[in-house]
Amino acid sequence: MRNETVQAYPALSMYIGGEFIGADRRDGQSVINPASGAPLGTLPHATREDLDRALAAAAAAFETWRWSSPMDRAAILRKVAGMVRERVETLALNITRDQGKPLAEARIEVAGAADHLEWHAEECRRIYGRVIPARAASVRQTVIRQPIGVCAAFSPWNFPLNQGLRKICAALGAGCTLILKPAEDAPSCMVAIAEMFEEAGLPPGVLNIVWGVPSEISDYLIRSPIVRKVSFTGSVAVGKHLAALAGAHMKRVTMELGGHSPVIVCDDADIERAATLLAAYKGLNAGQVCMSPSRFFVQEGVIDAFSELFVAAYASRTLGDGLDEGTIMGPLAHERRVEAMTAIVEDAVDRGARVMTGGHRPEGPGSFFPPTVLSGVADEATIMREEPFGPVVPLTSFSTIDEVLRRANSVPYGLASYAFTRSLERAHTISTRLEAGMVTINHFGLALPETPLGGVKDSGLGSEGGAETFDAYLHTKFISEQTVE
């Protein structure tokens, strides 16, 4: 049964200098529902003149916003948080239409976005400096932190509201102004957010939202001398390109890039609990999560028991339109992801893997791919070397902790990682030696507003969570004053 609604899909627009610019005034692209392939609306693309207007508006607004009280900035963030909570059903509905995730997951994303707004509203009031004891009684030495300037940010389609708001909260809370280019595949929630910030009283130009060809917009904005900081969430290849471009112009970056998260299931773990939790967590957003567990290492003595339990739990996740009641896993965001899943399954099978469940797209419309489990996957298989970003799970066994740590650390990624064990010694060894920005043991405790979110190696630079979230948006100024009589 479908969660029917009479709500029309919203009109899409850009937001520049406090003005909404719709598709009736610009060329654009169609937004497609991945569950049906049907068009939802038309998204306007920014012209070069639009980008210049956004840059000018952000620069002008910064001259006032940089000196605004943190209390005032916090008040606006809290107002928007309240609006997000009031409009959860509309926001969630349109996220599901855009991106495909089940409505229940979309509601969770909206609630999490409100949490981010509220946390940043409180934390931006705590951007402290310090006093350094001076060597002379007549000297006072202080350190203050000031907003860095106009920022350019680029957010992805898999969590279109949450990821976009992380960047907005950090920039605006720090006193910076922002030009955000969200993902064109899932635009509706960011248009709604612009409307909420305007309703909350945000001055024109502090937040600007543009759409268009990603490579053209990123190149133009990053090269502009007006932009002083770049934030990007997305693929490693694009992140490296943008970081290199920003580095050529001496601009700060925050890069939250792809991962290939190992999960280590030891023979002393609660196997049934691990299998049940991992089946649910891996299925979130059809596996299209940068922190999704994507390389399953199970100790030899329990791999058969774990495989049986995991396959049964994972295969039972109902596939369907995210608006249908009973759907547990929705479609992939677009056809390119379906093609990628098919290719990695074929590669693994060619290298000796066995398909335990799934493996082929179902018949009918939509960009669907079923929960898929592969056993006996070789370390040389593509899925063990590259992030699948989809619902395909490779199972492989290991013998010793030293062995599995070597294999887990063998890829150039280091975002999230997971382990299940009852041993405190093993938990300490694994969490210390895994090369990852985040480690969680026996549960999934990542991506909260108050906790750091970032990776090592090719998985990125900086953090988009926790107390570190404002660091890249502020510069440190040292002041030394001497009293002169």
Side-chain angles (χ1 to χ4, degrees):
M1 181 180 297
R2 176 178 293 275
N3 289 292
E4 292 290 356
T5 177
V6 296
Q7 293 184 35
Y9 187 75
L12 302 174
S13 62
M14 295 183 291
Y15 183 61
I16 299 174
E19 178 187 4
F20 289 93
I21 303 170
D24 57 328
R25 297 166 54 186
R26 296 290 187 275
D27 293 335
Q29 68 180 73
S30 294
V31 178
I32 304 298
N33 183 334
S36 64
L40 292 167
T42 303
L43 186 68
H45 279 199
T47 64
R48 187 67 59 88
E49 291 73 21
D50 290 326
L51 297 180
D52 286 337
R53 285 183 57 213
L55 288 163
F62 178 65
E63 294 309 313
T64 302
W65 187 250
R66 68 190 300 183
W67 307 118
S68 62
S69 166
M71 307 302 178
D72 294 338
R73 302 199 293 267
I76 289 176
L77 293 176
R78 279 196 298 271
K79 284 181 184 178
V80 177
M83 295 178 197
V84 168
R85 294 194 187 280
E86 291 170 359
R87 303 171 195 183
V88 59
E89 290 303 322
T90 298
L91 287 166
L93 168 68
N94 289 325
I95 289 172
T96 296
R97 286 167 160 174
D98 281 349
Q99 196 267 343
K101 67 181 60 175
L103 192 57
E105 290 186 22
R107 291 189 183 109
I108 293 172
E109 179 176 350
V110 176
D115 285 346
H116 283 290
L117 283 157
E118 290 170 345
W119 187 85
H120 282 82
E122 292 303 315
E123 199 67 15
C124 76
R125 301 164 59 184
R126 300 181 179 90
I127 298 175
Y128 301 134
R130 69 184 190 272
V131 176
I132 300 174
R135 299 188 180 193
S138 60
V139 173
R140 184 181 69 171
Q141 298 179 143
T142 56
V143 176
I144 63 174
R145 302 172 77 196
Q146 294 183 314
I148 197 167
V150 175
C151 303
F154 308 88
S155 58
W157 48 260
N158 59 334
F159 289 93
L161 180 59
N162 217 318
Q163 293 286 2
L165 268 178
R166 277 183 180 271
K167 301 176 189 305
I168 293 172
C169 292
L172 272 56
C176 297
T177 56
L178 180 69
I179 304 171
L180 174 67
K181 193 211 77 64
E184 287 74 16
D185 291 310
S188 63
C189 58
M190 281 296 103
V191 177
I193 285 297
E195 294 169 349
M196 292 181 214
F197 269 103
E198 182 170 83
E199 188 177 336
L202 187 72
V206 175
L207 172 64
N208 305 273
I209 295 177
V210 298
W211 314 96
V213 178
S215 59
E216 295 177 3
I217 292 181
S218 60
D219 185 81
Y220 194 75
L221 292 180
I222 295 173
R223 290 181 188 276
S224 170
I226 293 173
V227 170
R228 297 309 312 156
K229 197 269 177 182
V230 178
S231 175
F232 172 76
T233 299
S235 74
V236 172
V238 174
K240 285 184 174 181
H241 172 72
L242 298 186
L245 182 59
H249 297 274
M250 291 300 292
K251 299 182 180 183
R252 290 191 186 183
V253 297
T254 302
M255 293 281 153
E256 199 263 284
L257 308 180
H260 201 355
S261 306
V263 53
I264 299 170
V265 180
C266 298
D267 56 12
D268 63 346
D270 183 333
I271 301 303
E272 183 174 0
R273 180 174 181 273
T276 302
L277 289 177
L278 284 164
Y281 195 62
K282 177 61 180 179
L284 291 177
N285 205 15
Q288 299 169 119
V289 184
C290 58
M291 294 177 289
S292 180
S294 52
R295 290 179 293 148
F296 284 53
F297 298 97
V298 185
Q299 203 154 17
E300 290 171 342
V302 295
I303 189 166
D304 290 341
F306 175 87
S307 299
E308 182 178 353
L309 291 166
F310 178 80
V311 169
Y314 194 46
S316 69
R317 300 184 69 81
T318 308
L319 199 66
D321 189 319
L323 295 180
D324 287 348
E325 292 182 8
T327 291
I328 300 178
M329 184 184 292
L332 301 185
H334 41 67
E335 280 297 304
R336 298 189 302 277
R337 299 309 313 147
V338 177
E339 294 166 2
M341 295 306 100
T342 301
I344 63 173
V345 170
E346 291 176 351
D347 172 81
V349 171
D350 288 345
R351 296 175 185 269
R354 180 172 67 91
V355 178
M356 301 183 75
T357 187
H360 301 280
R361 73 176 300 165
E363 295 183 1
S367 301
F368 290 96
F369 201 86
T372 297
V373 181
L374 306 171
S375 66
V377 183
D379 283 358
E380 296 76 24
T382 299
I383 194 172
M384 295 297 288
R385 312 304 304 172
E386 300 175 11
E387 180 182 26
F389 216 66
V392 182
V393 173
L395 291 178
T396 184
S397 65
F398 72 91
S399 176
T400 67
I401 299 300
D402 284 343
E403 172 210 335
V404 75
L405 287 169
R406 174 184 55 77
R407 293 167 67 192
N409 292 335
S410 66
V411 297
Y413 312 102
L415 189 59
S417 56
Y418 309 91
F420 288 83
T421 177
R422 287 189 173 99
S423 165
L424 182 61
E425 179 183 3
R426 282 180 167 181
H428 178 73
T429 299
I430 290 169
S431 61
T432 302
R433 290 174 55 188
L434 275 174
E435 295 173 356
M438 298 171 284
V439 184
T440 183
I441 309 290
N442 293 326
H443 77 137
F444 305 110
L446 305 180
L448 300 171
E450 63 271 21
T451 61
L453 193 156
V456 299
K457 301 194 288 189
D458 280 3
S459 288
L461 301 167
S463 175
E464 291 213 318
E468 296 83 0
T469 191
F470 290 119
D471 288 350
Y473 293 90
L474 301 164
H475 68 81
T476 299
K477 178 183 286 186
F478 169 66
I479 302 172
S480 180
E481 303 171 84
Q482 184 172 37
T483 303
V484 178
E485 297 181 357

